Amino acid sequence: MSDHYYPARAVVYPGAIRHNTSVLAAAAPTSQVMTIVKADAYGHGLVPVAEAALLGGATWLGVAQTSEALALRAAGIDAPILTWLYGPDAPFEELLLAGIDISVASVDSLARVQFAAMNSGTTARIHVKVDTGLGRGGVSSLQWSDFVQSLGYAVSGQGVEVIGIWSHLAFGDEPGHPFTQQQVDALIEASSDLKRAGIDVPLRHIAASGATLREPNARLDLVRPGIATYGLTPFPEVASAEELGLEPAMRLIARLTTVKPVPAGQGVSYGHHYVTPRETVLGVVPVGYADGIPRHVSGLAGNPGAPIRVLGPDARDTSIAGRVCMDQVVIDLGPQAQEIAGDEVVLFGDPALGEPSAQDWAQAAGTINYEITTRLGPRIPRVYVAETPEGTE
Ligand SMILES: *Cc1c(COP(=O)(O)O)cnc(C)c1O
């Protein structure tokens, strides 16, 4: 549904994805890298990001939804792919025929995958998901011995091959948290249980971005970074993206649709939460909460909205004035503004260029940087540019 004439675009830099992937691969030199491209690659675009990550040194791709796994294959990507979030009616045969690895987290889904392998004449490649403490997906400790028994039966027949055993951390964004080591130990223990049951598992994996960068014990055989791939820090309280050597892969740029002088005392946007302190020039920026701009970044009295950088010869910083609307926000360009309709502003992009970062926006919205790029709506065109603003190609 994206519209070529839409006066906003998310510029995405595959070169930055490649660079960040190589930084992550270097951080975990003895592990394989599975780049996580779920949720349309955190809003950056599934296929272009997958291709760039593979060029940067990733050897695996990971997605939550089975539809995303199939879309990667349909695009001609032949790297190993893991998918893990599905219901009992998932298209198991289609996945197996497409050579997609499936996470298995219950006796029931093990049976369904095995049945699909039989029907389709394939061998299912599965990764056993263990709940080592996150309390979300995965086989729980109370289910484990039954599960191991069923798995033993499954692999002694035909059609099921265990490729991996895996889990997800509860405190991956808090380096050094003692619970992380407990979870790593629990995963290694679970893998020993399988070995004792006669099942050898080549790959153990538990680390997302945070642990890839800061938890050497959690790297194991494969790491699964998501957010850092996109040039954003998994732990803003610990290290900035810049300190981690990561480059932001997206800049959200819009063109002013209206620029007009207004008198002092002009109330701006719904509810008049911003009132012009003097005669000034307002600019209308054509993105709003329909595009994933959080309404929480509205500029309210005593609480400025999210930062916006005005580009051009008189580049400067401003912030959202008043309420975020469905399709637009307003900025106060100041009494001396020379901008005209069509001139560009950056909502978030590359702090090395003096632009606000997605992290700045997360802070303004009281959320995490993940949500800022991932919620960016489908009507904003993604434009892929080979050369990054920082010159990596
Ligand atoms: C999203 C996700 C990741 C990646 O997490 P980041 O914090 O973005 O690096 C890794 N593994 C699983 C299971 C996930 O759901």
Side-chain angles (χ1 to χ4, degrees):
M1 216 200 44
S2 81
D3 168 2
H4 182 70
Y5 294 102
Y6 201 70
R9 64 193 189 280
V11 180
V12 175
Y13 300 96
I17 300 285
R18 221 153 70 207
H19 166 82
N20 297 331
T21 305
S22 68
V23 167
L24 290 157
T30 61
S31 313
Q32 295 194 60
V33 176
M34 173 191 289
T35 297
I36 303 302
V37 292
K38 64 191 179 192
D40 201 27
Y42 294 41
H44 294 66
L46 178 68
V47 172
V49 166
E51 286 169 343
L54 292 170
L55 289 172
T59 51
W60 282 77
L61 299 168
V63 286
Q65 308 289 346
T66 58
S67 57
E68 296 179 305
L70 293 167
L72 287 167
R73 279 287 181 265
I77 290 173
D78 57 10
I81 298 171
L82 175 64
T83 183
W84 61 81
L85 201 60
Y86 55 82
D89 57 351
F92 295 111
E93 290 184 33
E94 197 181 345
L95 292 167
L96 296 177
L97 289 166
I100 291 162
D101 289 31
I102 303 176
S103 171
V104 167
S106 69
V107 170
D108 177 68
S109 40
L110 176 62
R112 288 175 196 274
V113 168
Q114 191 177 15
F115 184 71
M118 208 173 68
N119 277 346
S120 58
T122 59
T123 296
R125 294 166 45 96
I126 69 166
H127 296 231
V128 172
K129 176 114 189 233
V130 188
D131 185 354
T132 57
L134 177 59
R136 198 175 67 182
V139 183
S140 88
S141 57
L142 300 182
Q143 301 171 305
W144 182 241
S145 59
D146 283 350
F147 181 86
V148 173
Q149 194 172 32
S150 298
L151 188 64
Y153 291 135
V155 300
S156 67
Q158 271 174 354
V160 174
E161 186 183 359
V162 183
I163 303 295
I165 182 165
W166 73 302
S167 193
H168 197 41
L169 295 170
F171 296 92
D173 58 346
E174 294 180 40
H177 195 290
F179 199 69
T180 294
Q181 190 60 49
Q182 282 185 45
Q183 287 193 264
V184 172
D185 292 344
L187 183 67
I188 291 170
E189 185 56 35
S191 128
S192 306
D193 290 344
L194 295 192
K195 199 174 173 69
R196 276 192 290 275
I199 307 163
D200 268 319
V201 187
L203 296 176
R204 300 158 304 163
H205 50 104
I206 193 167
S209 295
T212 301
L213 292 164
R214 288 289 157 92
E215 299 280 7
N217 291 344
R219 289 172 192 148
L220 304 179
D221 306 305
L222 177 151
V223 293
R224 303 190 310 266
I227 194 72
T229 308
Y230 306 99
L232 301 175
T233 176
F235 31 46
E237 287 83 26
V238 178
S240 69
E242 207 165 13
E243 286 163 345
L244 296 168
L246 304 171
E247 292 181 14
M250 178 192 285
R251 295 167 71 227
L252 179 60
I253 302 175
R255 302 174 71 183
L256 297 169
T257 50
T258 295
V259 178
K260 66 179 185 188
V262 296
Q266 171 73 56
V268 174
S269 192
Y270 298 127
H272 284 178
H273 290 280
Y274 179 78
V275 178
T276 57
R278 49 182 167 17
E279 190 175 308
T280 189
V281 176
L282 296 180
V284 175
V285 179
V287 289
Y289 62 78
D291 304 299
I293 301 301
R295 195 160 169 278
H296 282 95
V297 302
S298 295
L300 308 181
N303 190 9
I308 292 190
R309 178 127 183 116
V310 180
L311 298 181
D314 186 23
R316 62 197 183 281
D317 298 314
T318 178
S319 58
I320 294 177
R323 283 274 184 227
V324 172
C325 309
M326 185 182 290
D327 309 292
Q328 43 196 317
V329 300
V330 182
I331 54 178
D332 184 344
L333 291 164
Q336 309 301 327
Q338 297 301 308
E339 284 76 25
I340 57 171
D343 283 352
E344 292 189 334
V345 303
V346 177
L347 290 90
F348 57 83
D350 189 347
L353 304 178
E355 298 167 356
S357 62
Q359 180 56 38
D360 294 330
W361 270 63
Q363 200 167 347
T367 184
I368 53 174
N369 52 24
Y370 296 67
E371 216 181 318
I372 299 299
T373 65
T374 303
R375 294 185 75 168
L376 204 64
R379 73 179 181 180
I380 297 204
R382 272 59 168 180
V383 177
Y384 296 89
V385 173
E387 178 148 4
T388 70
E390 295 179 32
T392 327
E393 216 185 308

